[in-house]
Amino acid sequence: AYQEAKRLDIPEVYKASIFVNILDSYILAGTFHESEKKVNEVQKNILNYTEHLSVYNEVTLFFNLALLNFGMKKYSKALYWLNEIINRPSNSVNTSFSSITRLIRLIVFYELGYTDIENHLRAVHRYVAKQDHQYQIDQVLLKCIRKIVGIHDKKKLASIMTETRNELETLSANKTESVTLYYFDFISWCESKIENRPF
C-alpha cells in the first residue's frame, strides 16, 4: 500500500494523508519493527510531508512517529516527536490529546532511565488538573509513574504494574475513560513490564 500510494497520480496533499493513515495502521496492528523503513523515510523527508498536511494531520503524523519509535525502543526519537507536539501553540492541539502526549512523554522519560522527573510529573499533574474534564486514567498513570521511577526490583515493579493494569482495565469499561486507551495502549505497556517482554 505504501509503494502504491507513492505512485498514485493524485495531489501531494492526498498522498501525505495516506501516509499518515499507513503509519497509523502499523500502530493498530502493533507491528512496530515492520514500520521502520517507512518511518525512516518519512523522518528523513519530513518537510515534504508536513507542507501538504493540515495542522491536525501534521500533529497526527508526529504522534504516529512518536508511537512507532516507542514501539521500536527508539525512545530518544519518540521523545523528539512528542516534544514537537507539546511545543506547538496551545490552540493547535486538542487539550485532551495534549494531556495524553504529556503522559506518554513521562513514560518515555522512564524508559530512557531518567530518575529526576519530579518537576515534569508536577507540571503534567497541573496541566491535567486545569482541563475541563478530569479523567481518572490520567491520575492512575501519574500515580504509577511516580511509584516506579528509580525502582530496579523486578518483583516490586511487577506488583505496581499489576495494580495499575487492573485499575486501567476497570476504567476501560467506561466509554469516556476508554478514549485515552485508544491513543496509547497503556494496559499493554503495563503488561510488558509485568511479563518482562517487549511492548
Side-chain angles (χ1 to χ4, degrees), residues 26-170:
Y26 284 108
I27 296 167
L28 293 173
T31 52
F32 301 109
H33 291 283
E34 287 83 345
S35 74
E36 186 169 12
K37 183 178 178 182
K38 284 76 176 178
V39 167
N40 288 341
E41 180 172 338
V42 172
Q43 289 176 153
K44 184 179 178 181
N45 302 289
I46 192 66
L47 292 179
N48 293 338
Y49 293 89
T50 56
E51 69 176 332
H52 301 294
L53 292 172
S54 65
V55 171
Y56 172 82
N57 279 333
E58 184 175 299
V59 169
T60 303
L61 175 62
F62 293 168
F63 191 73
N64 286 350
L65 291 172
L67 294 193
L68 289 168
N69 276 294
F70 182 93
M72 292 186 284
K73 294 188 176 183
K74 296 182 178 181
Y75 300 121
S76 293
K77 274 288 185 184
L79 181 60
Y80 173 85
W81 293 113
L82 293 170
N83 283 335
E84 284 291 302
I85 298 170
I86 290 168
N87 293 331
R88 294 179 69 89
S90 59
N91 62 353
S92 68
V93 184
N94 174 284
T95 52
S96 294
F97 185 76
S98 191
S99 294
I100 293 165
T101 302
R102 284 166 166 77
L103 286 166
I104 297 170
R105 185 171 68 166
L106 288 175
I107 289 175
V108 170
F109 286 151
Y110 169 77
E111 295 289 7
L112 285 167
Y114 295 178
T115 55
D116 187 19
I117 65 169
E118 185 59 36
N119 288 340
H120 290 286
L121 275 163
R122 282 198 295 267
V124 176
H125 191 276
R126 286 195 301 270
Y127 186 88
V128 167
K130 289 179 182 177
Q131 305 313 312
D132 294 333
H133 187 89
Q134 304 293 308
Y135 292 95
Q136 292 180 62
I137 280 182
D138 295 351
Q139 300 305 321
V140 169
L141 290 167
L142 285 168
K143 180 179 69 174
C144 169
I145 296 165
R146 180 168 272 112
K147 285 182 177 179
I148 65 175
V149 170
I151 287 183
H152 301 292
D153 184 288
K154 289 184 179 180
K155 286 186 178 179
K156 191 172 182 181
L157 176 64
S159 175
I160 296 168
M161 287 301 195
T162 300
E163 180 185 349
T164 302
R165 180 200 59 193
N166 293 344
E167 289 184 71
L168 292 176
E169 285 180 340
T170 299

